[in-house]
Amino acid sequence: MNDILLCIINSQNRFLSSDHLDALSHISHILHISHPEDKDLLVQLIRERSYQLVTVVTMDNVLPPEWQQIKSLLSCPFFLLSGMNATNFPVLVTMLESLRNSSRSAEPINHFTESLDFIEEHLFDHDLSLEMVASQIFVSKYHYSRIFQRYVGTGFKEYVIKKRMNKAMSLLRKGHQVTEVCFAVGYNDLTHFSRVFRKTFGQNPSVYRTKYDSNYKLEVGALA
């Protein structure tokens, strides 16, 4: 059986295709949960057998705090990945493959998964940095940069930017003001935030917000 348990929470539409799920099934045992309130299904499964790694992914930006309590039931590494979507799939596969291979060798991965938890918890802090995360597991930022690239398949900076931009896009779609979104996702410079957003999505956040708001109004008008 697989050494990795992958719990996928889909409170909305499924964000992974059947091909994606087939690829993941070769490297992990997959548990589908419809809502975060159903975490007892995961608890039951991890009590039935031991895993070398337990991972939870969700489309939601955050999970209820009680999900962190699952960690106390495990003797293996455990981490949460929030804000996932189909574009994150290659990163997810690379990460799970690397962690699986490492867990089968003598190389410990507990500290690295703890650092991923730290990133998730502080993702929107404006002072989050490679050096800060590396210090949490007592390694140099240069060493951490190398192991992050190896395990995750992308650079630390690119990983953080992508997750922040996905959150920014979600907030803009909900009608939040650009300045409000800028500070909410970890930036304290509106010009820099706009530049990163434009580089990621090909348009300014103000243009994106206006366009999405206009499309929403048209849809509502058509239904009226």
Side-chain angles (χ1 to χ4, degrees):
M1 296 181 68
N2 290 309
D3 303 314
I4 296 176
L5 173 60
L6 174 62
C7 175
I8 301 175
I9 305 173
N10 286 311
S11 55
Q12 304 178 42
N13 293 328
R14 299 178 74 176
F15 63 89
L16 293 178
S17 68
S18 57
D19 289 341
H20 290 165
L21 292 173
D22 183 61
L24 287 170
S25 68
H26 286 85
I27 57 176
S28 63
H29 176 82
I30 299 176
L31 170 67
H32 287 286
I33 292 180
S34 299
H35 302 284
E37 293 76 15
D38 299 330
K39 72 178 179 66
D40 288 345
L41 296 174
L42 175 60
V43 172
Q44 179 182 349
L45 193 57
I46 61 179
R47 282 176 172 167
E48 290 176 353
R49 63 153 295 178
S50 298
Y51 292 93
Q52 293 186 334
L53 175 67
V54 175
T55 305
V56 175
V57 298
T58 175
M59 289 180 65
D60 298 331
N61 291 309
V62 294
L63 281 174
E66 55 265 25
W67 273 82
Q68 287 291 348
Q69 298 173 7
I70 294 176
K71 186 184 298 186
S72 64
L73 303 174
L74 297 167
S75 58
C76 67
F78 167 78
F79 64 95
L80 303 173
L81 289 175
S82 58
M84 290 293 295
N85 55 49
T87 61
N88 301 132
F89 171 72
V91 172
L92 177 62
V93 172
T94 300
M95 181 187 301
L96 292 180
E97 287 180 335
S98 297
L99 293 175
R100 181 191 61 174
N101 293 337
S102 295
S103 64
R104 285 177 170 175
S105 68
E107 183 180 356
I109 61 172
N110 298 58
H111 289 321
F112 181 71
T113 55
E114 287 173 7
S115 76
L116 292 179
D117 285 339
F118 182 84
I119 293 172
E120 289 294 315
E121 292 170 10
H122 299 274
L123 184 62
F124 306 121
D125 295 351
H126 76 273
D127 57 349
L128 178 67
S129 66
L130 176 66
E131 187 171 9
M132 177 189 295
V133 179
S135 69
Q136 297 299 309
I137 59 173
F138 308 103
V139 298
S140 73
K141 63 180 181 180
Y142 306 105
H143 177 67
Y144 186 76
S145 179
R146 289 193 294 270
I147 62 175
F148 191 95
Q149 179 74 44
R150 183 176 67 188
Y151 285 144
V152 182
T154 187
F156 170 82
K157 182 178 179 181
E158 291 76 13
Y159 178 84
V160 170
I161 287 176
K162 189 166 189 177
K163 300 207 73 172
R164 285 179 170 181
M165 289 300 103
N166 285 338
K167 174 65 172 179
M169 182 173 62
S170 174
L171 291 174
L172 290 170
R173 285 180 174 180
K174 294 177 181 177
H176 293 275
Q177 297 296 323
V178 174
T179 301
E180 178 187 358
V181 173
C182 168
F183 290 103
V185 299
Y187 294 88
N188 54 12
D189 184 327
L190 183 57
T191 301
H192 178 59
F193 165 73
S194 298
R195 186 183 304 117
V196 175
F197 190 95
R198 183 172 63 251
K199 183 177 180 180
T200 304
F201 299 114
Q203 55 187 318
N204 290 327
S206 56
V207 174
Y208 179 85
R209 181 182 181 278
T210 301
K211 184 183 298 184
Y212 194 89
D213 188 52
S214 298
N215 290 339
Y216 175 75
K217 289 178 179 178
L218 285 173
E219 291 175 3
V220 171
L223 293 173

